[in-house]
Amino acid sequence: MRSIWNGAISFGLVSIPIKLVNATENHSISFRQVHKTDMGRIRYRKVCELEEREVASGEIGKGYEEPDGSIIPITDDDLAALPLPTAKTIEIVGFVPAASIDPLQMDTSYYLAPSGAAAAKPYVLLREALKRSDKAAVAKFALRGRERLGMLRVMDEVIAMHGLLWPDEIRTPVGVAPETQVTVRDAELDLADALMDTLGAVDLDSLHDDYREAVEELIAAKVEGEPMRERQPAESGGGKVIDLMAALENSVRAAKEARGEDGKVAEVTHLKSKAKPGGGQGEESAGAGSVGKAADESSEEKTDGKAAAKKAAAKTPAGPARKTAAKKTTAAKKTAAAKKSTAAKKSAAKKTATAKKTSASGKRASA
């Protein structure tokens, strides 16, 4: 990999020559601005507003604009003469637990590679010291004309550096959190926990950019002159008022089905409020005759239902009596079965005796 910066790590009195290499790369697809009628490229030209002519790169310098609009020229020599100790040095200023640095503060990532054979020993020394301490080094460095903050940590067998935003570059989240007071029930938290457990961990290496793949397919189809394969558009849930409990239950069920598990979710029973005794019964307001009639019909149906239930209860024996009747019926069945068995045995015995007598008589007659 090509280095973008050469310098050294300053670790107390130890200096480690290193090369800075980009640890990330951008795979997003970029487009050019074109003229719609003839597909000609649209380019930006650097024009001097005073002379109204295009200026070459060699004629362009730096300048600071004052509030009144006047320009203060700043040259590269002016910047090079500034007392910047980190111009060619990554200066370690201290060590902190890696977890103490908020990911919100992290910026671009780099790999630090030893520059030359002589740098191998101090490089490995710093790497192993970071491993054993389980801490990250906080450092200051200068890149592309400005001083930056960085965090050094070990990744596999390499020292990686994450550029950090300065603390005053992190905005305070004023007015971002919901201003209305919201109450979350335990049942909702339980379902949220169940959804988290069902989704489980994720292998980050298995994730990919679906949008970039779709754009690549679109470009390939345009090149080949073929129609683009239709994709199902993603449903947008924005702006909808949803039943949170139902959404959580459906999410848990869908996640389990995706994993091949049972999609059943324990149902949450919502308690209904009890009607006040005598409330609304037999009352009818002016202009609400249909409502009163419906209430009367409902009351009559309830009365008929109660009467039918009483008649059925009168015909059916009470609990203990019912059990006694069942026991008597069972005993009677057993007695009848025993009598039938005894009768069958006696009948079989008689047939056997008759057969024996017949056989003996036959033998005598032949004799």
Side-chain angles (χ1 to χ4, degrees):
M1 291 186 284
R2 186 174 63 87
S3 63
I4 61 172
W5 184 86
N6 293 307
I9 299 175
S10 175
F11 178 35
L13 298 178
V14 178
S15 181
I16 310 171
I18 57 98
K19 296 181 291 184
L20 196 68
V21 179
N22 276 325
T24 62
E25 55 188 3
N26 188 357
H27 288 168
S28 62
I29 298 175
S30 59
F31 299 101
R32 301 291 188 184
Q33 289 188 331
V34 296
H35 189 197
K36 288 183 178 180
T37 56
D38 56 12
M39 292 297 110
R41 284 278 306 278
I42 303 298
R43 299 181 182 273
Y44 292 99
R45 302 181 185 276
K46 297 179 180 180
V47 177
C48 174
E49 64 179 14
L50 296 179
E51 299 181 8
E52 295 184 354
R53 68 176 181 87
E54 188 176 354
V55 179
S57 298
E59 299 179 69
I60 299 174
K62 297 183 181 68
Y64 176 79
E65 185 176 3
E66 291 278 18
D68 60 359
S70 59
I71 302 295
I72 308 298
I74 303 294
T75 66
D76 292 338
D77 293 336
D78 293 334
L79 296 175
L82 293 176
L84 188 61
T86 57
K88 281 292 181 181
T89 305
I90 298 174
E91 182 182 357
I92 294 177
V93 295
F95 297 86
V96 298
S100 66
I101 297 178
D102 195 317
L104 190 65
Q105 198 172 351
M106 292 186 182
D107 200 1
T108 311
S109 301
Y110 308 93
Y111 291 135
L112 303 182
S115 183
K121 180 66 180 286
Y123 183 93
V124 172
L125 172 65
L126 176 60
R127 184 190 69 194
E128 296 304 313
L130 289 172
K131 275 186 182 180
R132 191 166 72 171
S133 66
D134 198 23
K135 291 184 177 181
V138 177
K140 295 169 69 177
F141 67 103
L143 184 64
R144 297 189 178 97
R146 60 182 289 245
E147 190 173 53
R148 303 167 187 247
L149 195 62
M151 178 188 76
L152 278 63
R153 68 178 182 93
V154 178
M155 179 178 176
D156 295 332
E157 298 300 312
V158 175
I159 299 176
M161 181 173 70
H162 302 276
L164 299 178
L165 299 174
W166 295 99
D168 59 358
E169 292 180 316
I170 305 296
R171 299 175 64 185
T172 304
V174 177
V176 178
E179 295 181 359
T180 56
Q181 188 172 357
V182 178
T183 301
V184 179
R185 295 178 293 167
D186 289 339
E188 294 168 339
L189 283 174
D190 291 341
L191 278 173
D193 289 341
L195 178 57
M196 292 169 64
D197 292 339
T198 304
L199 292 176
V202 62
D203 181 9
L204 294 178
D205 293 333
S206 66
L207 304 179
H208 57 279
D209 188 346
D210 293 324
Y211 180 76
R212 179 171 61 87
E213 290 182 359
V215 174
E216 289 174 347
E217 289 182 13
L218 172 63
I219 294 172
K222 291 274 189 180
V223 171
E224 298 295 331
E226 298 177 354
M228 177 62 181
R229 178 172 64 90
E230 292 186 3
R231 286 175 174 260
Q232 189 69 23
E235 294 183 2
S236 174
K240 294 181 180 179
V241 178
I242 62 172
D243 183 344
L244 184 58
M245 291 292 290
L248 287 170
E249 289 174 355
N250 292 335
S251 299
V252 173
R253 187 179 296 106
K256 286 186 175 181
E257 290 175 355
R259 289 177 174 266
E261 301 176 7
D262 183 11
K264 293 182 179 179
V265 181
E267 295 183 358
V268 179
T269 304
H270 302 281
L271 298 178
K272 296 182 178 179
S273 59
K274 296 182 179 180
K276 295 182 180 179
Q281 294 183 359
E283 295 180 0
E284 181 176 345
S285 59
S290 59
V291 177
K293 185 178 180 181
D296 292 340
E297 290 176 356
S298 175
S299 178
E300 290 175 2
E301 290 176 1
K302 289 181 180 178
T303 304
D304 295 339
K306 289 180 180 178
K310 287 181 180 179
K311 289 180 182 179
K315 292 180 180 179
T316 306
R322 194 181 305 165
K323 290 182 179 178
T324 304
K327 287 181 180 179
K328 289 181 178 179
T329 303
T330 304
K333 288 181 179 179
K334 288 182 178 179
T335 304
K339 287 180 179 180
K340 287 182 181 179
S341 178
T342 303
K345 287 179 180 179
K346 289 181 179 180
S347 176
K350 286 181 180 180
K351 288 180 180 179
T352 303
T354 303
K356 285 181 179 181
K357 288 180 180 181
T358 304
S359 177
S361 298
K363 287 180 179 180
R364 288 174 184 174
S366 63

